[in-house]
Each structure stands twice: as structure tokens, then as C-alpha cells.
Amino acid sequence: MAKKTLVIGGGFAGMAAAIELAKRGMQVELVEIDPGWRAYGAGISLGGATLRALKTLGVLDAFLRVAHGSDGVDIRTPAGALISQLPTPRLAGPDVPGGAGVMRPVLAGVLAAATRAAGVAVRLGVTFSSISQTETGVDVAFTDGGTGRYDLLIGADGLYSKVRTSLFPDAPAPSYSGQGVWRAVLPRPPEIERCTMWMGDRVKPGVNPVSAEEMYLFVTEDRAAHERLDPAGFVDHLRALLAPFPDPALQAIRAQLGARSQIIYRPLEGLLLKSWYQGSVVLVGDAVHATTPHLASGACIGIEDGIVLAEELAGGGGIEAALARFQARRWERCRMVVENSARLGVIERTGGDKAEHARIMRDSHQALAAPI
């Protein structure tokens, strides 16, 4: 059994693992390189599977107090006519909405409070400088000069994971998808009650409420090159992407874009490793299965990783056996999210078959509704 565990990385997956392991009586330390333990980004959309995972973590009530829950997703034409309302099953319980929007830092704050409340020893502004495995454990040297010995090390340090590089030096780098996503934070008009998307030919903007007063805007754009863009042009560029949509509601949103809109741009990348662990070191979340946001499930599968890993470690049989069970249990679900999200991006970039796009969306969400 992993009596003493180190989690490297304080993102959603790392915190979920730390919380669940601590709940089972294990001694857990978490180190996070950012001294402010900040979560970058604007809003995030969470489906029923994610809310179910938050319920398992014991933070759903706290989350719903600071997020905006709703049922369904409105799909509209560029002119604003309602095409359909996609259902969002209430997977977390009959009294819990089928989906929610929240600011990333707000969700991170909920999980951080739960991590500390669970008794996890958190150290900020620190990461590892070296990792060395022996037959009896993992020896870690830290950037603050300290050292530690652990039964298990969990690498949860994100898309550009240093733990992954240390564990698997020949692992592939994240792959650029040919798309980037724009996000912005705006006042929420009363007519925006739930996640709403407009179906343009290539550009598909959407908004999702994150509170009673705010919503976030998301727009996916085709971009041939993985490049850094000058923030000085963000407002004008995002306004230009929305210009072809005559819907008055979307044009009103476009008119509000300005210096206070917290606009960010992120190139979309993906990654899926075939091996997730070696000895007593295991990778979780974006460190091992990073996905583009086309299924809005990256946070979901990362948080689920933490839950399943804790369950398998509590199941006995030795650490390596538990890690093998963990990967076997998670593989197909995470592969489906990563590969189906990537395929949706290809269809969007190439003007591909809309029926295939709809089928992948439907089948993927049905799969996500299944128990983990």
C-alpha cells in the first residue's frame, strides 16, 4: 500500500488524487511550482460526468454555490434561430443540473480548499530536481534543497510535464492540432440561460454562464502554425471572428469585447501515451492524456484519474499491480476522449462530414455518461 505519496503538480488531476488518497488515510504531500497556486484561463464548461466526479470528491455543494448550473445546450444558426437543444443528463443526481460553467480559478479554489481540508501537506513554489527509484521506494530531491522518500510518486504537472520527461525521456511531445481557442469573460445578459453555440461554417462561437453576472465566450479558430500572438491585437481579432454572425445577441456580445474582457488565446494540443507508469511513479491528467476541448472533458478525465487511482491503490495487491489496474481501467475512456476530440477538430478544419461530427458527439457523450 502507498502509505506515503508525493503528488507533483497542483492542478485539477493532482488535487483530485491528493484528496481521494488522503480520505483513505494515506499520508499525502503535494508540491506545486507556482507560489501563488494560480489557475490560468477564463471559464470552463463541465458536463454531468464531471459534476458526478466532484460529488465523489465531496466538493459538489461548494462548487454549485460558486458556479452556474444549467440543463441543455442551445444550438443556433448564425442568425440566431434555435436549431436544437442538446440534452445534458443529470448524472450527479436528479437534483443536480446536467452541466455547469465556472471560472477556472474558482474551481481551482474549491479543490484547493478541499485538498487542505483533507489533510494534504501542501508546499508551494517548489518542485522536484531529481527522482530516483529503488526497489523500496522513490527518492526525491526538491528545488528548495529538501529531500524525501515516498512509496508512490504521482506526476500531475500538466501538458509539458517534467515528471513525464524524467520517467519516459523518449515520450512524444504534445501534438499541435491546427486549431486554437479564444476565451473571454463578459457580462451575462439575462437571455443567456445555458451554454449556447452558433454553428458557422468554420467558426463556431459559444458562451456559457459562469455566475449570475458573468459568462465566458469561447471561439475555436483554424491556425496553420503553433504561434504566439500579440495581445495588442486580441480584441480586434476576436471581434473579426464574430463579425459574420448576424444574430443580434451575438453582436451585442461582440460589441462588449474590450480591454477588460480577459481575452486569452491558446493553441490546442493533444497527447496520449501508451505507458502511464514505471515502477512506483505514475502520470495522471494532461501529463499523460491531454485533449483538445471539443468534448469539454479534459478536466473531467483528469479528476476521474485521481478518483480511480485512489480506488485501485486501496484495493491492495502491491503498488505496481494497482497502477496496472489503474491504467487498464482508464485507458479506453481517456483514449476515446483524446482521439474523438482530435477527430472533431479535423472535421471542423477540413469542412468534413457533419453527420460524422454529430455521431461522434453523441457517441462520446453516451460513453462519458457510463460509470467510471
Side-chain angles (χ1 to χ4, degrees):
M1 186 179 191
K3 295 181 180 179
K4 187 176 181 183
T5 297
L6 174 67
V7 180
I8 297 178
F12 299 156
M15 288 190 283
I19 291 166
E20 287 298 297
L21 288 169
K23 282 165 58 176
R24 288 166 171 78
M26 302 180 197
Q27 181 182 348
V28 184
E29 297 177 22
L30 183 149
V31 294
E32 163 57 43
I33 193 170
D34 180 2
W37 206 357
R38 293 163 293 183
Y40 295 94
I44 183 172
S45 296
L46 306 179
T50 318
L51 300 186
R52 179 176 60 193
L54 295 178
K55 185 175 184 179
T56 300
L57 291 181
V59 302
L60 182 59
D61 289 343
F63 169 79
L64 290 174
R65 285 195 291 270
V66 294
H68 183 277
S70 61
D71 292 293
V73 177
D74 287 348
I75 305 297
R76 297 186 175 275
T77 68
L82 183 66
I83 300 172
S84 64
Q85 186 179 105
L86 303 180
T88 52
R90 293 192 163 198
L91 301 180
D95 298 327
V96 180
V102 69
M103 295 296 290
R104 278 183 176 270
V106 172
L107 173 58
V110 169
L111 291 173
T115 299
R116 292 191 186 276
V120 176
V122 176
R123 286 192 292 154
L124 303 178
V126 179
T127 188
F128 76 98
S129 55
S130 68
I131 297 171
S132 176
Q133 293 200 64
T134 69
E135 292 183 358
T136 57
V138 185
D139 293 309
V140 181
F142 295 99
T143 53
D144 63 356
T147 61
R149 184 170 181 80
Y150 304 89
D151 301 308
L152 174 69
L153 188 152
I154 300 172
D157 51 340
L159 181 64
Y160 293 101
S161 169
K162 297 295 191 295
V163 178
R164 181 180 69 234
T165 302
S166 174
L167 192 64
F168 300 117
D170 298 324
S175 175
Y176 177 55
S177 69
Q179 290 183 307
V181 66
W182 296 86
R183 294 186 176 97
V185 182
L186 296 162
R188 174 193 162 203
E191 63 268 22
I192 300 296
E193 299 176 347
R194 60 185 60 83
C195 184
T196 302
M197 298 178 66
W198 290 263
M199 293 292 102
D201 289 337
R202 290 295 181 89
V203 177
K204 296 176 177 60
V207 293
N208 200 5
V210 295
S211 70
E213 298 82 25
E214 289 185 316
M215 64 183 181
Y216 85 99
L217 168 73
F218 52 94
V219 183
T220 303
E221 180 190 17
D222 297 348
R223 277 194 171 267
H226 184 306
E227 56 191 345
R228 184 182 183 278
L229 304 180
D230 184 356
F234 279 9
V235 172
D236 288 343
H237 187 84
L238 190 48
R239 282 179 175 169
L241 290 175
L242 300 180
F245 293 81
D247 183 357
L250 191 50
Q251 287 305 305
I253 291 169
R254 176 175 176 260
Q256 292 186 74
L257 289 168
R260 297 183 179 181
S261 300
Q262 303 177 46
I263 300 173
I264 58 173
Y265 170 78
R266 181 169 70 89
L268 298 182
E269 299 173 276
L271 176 79
L272 180 63
L273 297 193
K274 293 182 178 179
S275 297
W276 294 13
Y277 67 95
Q278 185 181 92
S280 297
V281 179
V282 63
L283 303 172
V284 298
D286 284 353
V288 72
H289 52 64
T291 180
T292 61
H294 294 81
L295 290 171
S297 296
C300 176
I301 57 176
I303 293 169
E304 288 178 350
D305 277 356
I307 294 169
V308 173
L309 178 59
E311 290 176 354
E312 293 301 339
L313 287 165
I319 289 175
E320 284 203 58
L323 299 185
R325 295 195 305 269
F326 162 71
Q327 178 173 338
R329 190 170 154 192
R330 295 299 295 154
W331 171 260
E332 177 54 28
R333 187 176 181 88
C334 296
R335 181 210 62 78
M336 180 275 295
V337 169
V338 173
E339 294 185 356
N340 285 8
S341 295
R343 179 58 187 163
L344 290 171
V346 170
I347 294 171
E348 291 174 5
R349 284 192 293 108
T350 61
D353 186 354
K354 288 183 171 57
E356 181 189 0
H357 193 286
R359 176 184 58 77
I360 291 173
M361 291 287 289
R362 182 186 66 249
D363 292 350
S364 300
H365 286 295
Q366 286 179 349
L368 285 164
I372 63 171

